[in-house]
Amino acid sequence: MYMRFFSRFFSAMAGPRPVVFSGPSGAGKSTLLKKLMKEYDNVFGFSVSHTTRNPRPGEVNGKDYHYVTREEMKAGVERGDFIESAEFSGNMYGTSKAAVQKVQAQNLICILDVDMQGVKNIKETDLNPLYISIQPPSMEVLENRLRDRKTESEESLQKRLRAAKVDMEIGKEPGVFDVIIVNDNLEDAYKVLKSALNEEIDQVKKTNMSS
Ligand SMILES: Nc1ncnc2c1ncn2[C@@H]1O[C@H](COP(=O)(O)OP(=O)(O)OP(=O)(O)O)[C@@H](O)[C@H]1O
Ligand SMILES: Nc1nc2c(ncn2[C@@H]2O[C@H](COP(=O)(O)O)[C@@H](O)[C@H]2O)c(=O)[nH]1
């Protein structure tokens, strides 16, 4: 596992700098984010995306995603409700302005979980987040994790693996991500993630305690 650091925190904007997580489907983004939010629920807030995919068992509407029809999603995009939106593995996904504002209004670090198109599109906005890439140790491990998760049809799994190959190549290009974490052993990866966000966590704790 290794980590690269190109920049540090607190942007010129008011409030804590958002953090964008990306990386191939199955790399372990949600697993790491859920751990982080459980440990620091008063520091981080999750930007709940919209998606046209069906909820998985255990997922909750409004918490994991806002589940919408393609028509609803397209109408929202046309109205300008979204900071970014993308088509991934046969479904639409997008980050609404309202989702980010809701977290920022609470003075929490806004966490976004987006695919590589989302990363590219967010780079065109003035959100100015820290970009963290979560990578699997290998394609073989990634495939096993996705299969073991049992959430995908064979067709969807193959689409996700194809997207993963492309994402992993783009992710290696210099300057795309500020921090790259290889999620091999979960506890090790979590430690690296926490240390990458250490200063922000302390800063938000201090600010929120004194307000
Ligand atoms: N370090 C790890 N070791 C073993 N299994 C892991 C590890 N990290 C995550 N997993 C498992 O791998 C699977 C994929 O993880 P997760 O759903 O968090 O990935 P993801 O990157 O959020 O995927 P997606 O982008 O599709 O939402 C899950 O079943 C999770 O329990
Ligand atoms: N561009 C965006 N990508 C998003 C958003 N929310 C999630 N995602 C990415 O989609 C894939 C698949 O997610 P899954 O929950 O169906 O497994 C994954 O890479 C997410 O990062 C979003 O709002 N915008």
Side-chain angles (χ1 to χ4, degrees), residues 34-149:
K34 282 182 182 154
K35 243 170 123 54
L36 192 69
M37 304 219 8
K38 194 173 171 198
E39 185 170 347
Y40 301 102
D41 65 338
N42 57 345
V43 171
F44 295 98
F46 187 58
S47 159
V48 181
S49 293
H50 284 59
T51 183
T52 61
R53 83 153 163 75
N54 291 324
R56 293 176 187 146
E59 287 185 342
V60 177
N61 190 21
K63 185 167 176 267
D64 296 285
Y65 282 106
H66 299 289
Y67 300 94
V68 289
T69 63
R70 189 168 277 272
E71 290 66 38
E72 286 168 330
M73 184 91 193
K74 279 186 178 168
V77 171
E78 271 168 34
R79 274 195 307 270
D81 293 352
F82 288 89
I83 293 172
E84 62 80 31
S85 64
E87 184 86 27
F88 180 88
S89 187
N91 285 297
M92 284 178 83
Y93 296 80
T95 306
S96 71
K97 292 172 184 167
V100 173
Q101 279 161 5
K102 189 176 173 189
V103 178
Q104 290 187 322
Q106 300 167 77
N107 203 34
L108 300 173
I109 299 172
C110 183
I111 289 183
L112 294 85
D113 175 349
V114 302
D115 76 334
M116 192 54 82
Q117 299 161 80
V119 169
K120 285 186 181 161
N121 291 335
I122 290 170
K123 283 184 184 252
E124 302 299 314
T125 72
D126 59 4
L127 194 68
N128 189 32
L130 183 79
Y131 294 93
I132 297 184
S133 168
I134 306 296
Q135 292 291 325
S138 65
M139 277 304 291
E140 290 69 29
V141 170
L142 184 73
E143 180 167 350
N144 289 339
R145 283 185 189 165
L146 271 180
R147 286 193 185 281
D148 291 349
R149 194 171 73 180

Side-chain angles (χ1 to χ4, degrees), residues 160-178:
R160 284 170 186 250
L161 291 176
R162 278 198 296 276
K165 278 193 192 135
V166 178
D167 281 12
M168 284 161 79
E169 285 312 308
I170 299 172
K172 283 184 203 151
E173 288 169 16
V176 178
F177 289 99
D178 300 301

Side-chain angles (χ1 to χ4, degrees), residues 23-32 56 65 113 145-146 148-149 160 183-186:
S25 170
K29 299 178 296 295
S30 312
T31 306
L32 285 162
R56 293 176 187 146
Y65 282 106
D113 175 349
R145 283 185 189 165
L146 271 180
D148 291 349
R149 194 171 73 180
R160 284 170 186 250
N183 176 23
D184 190 350
N185 175 282
L186 183 63

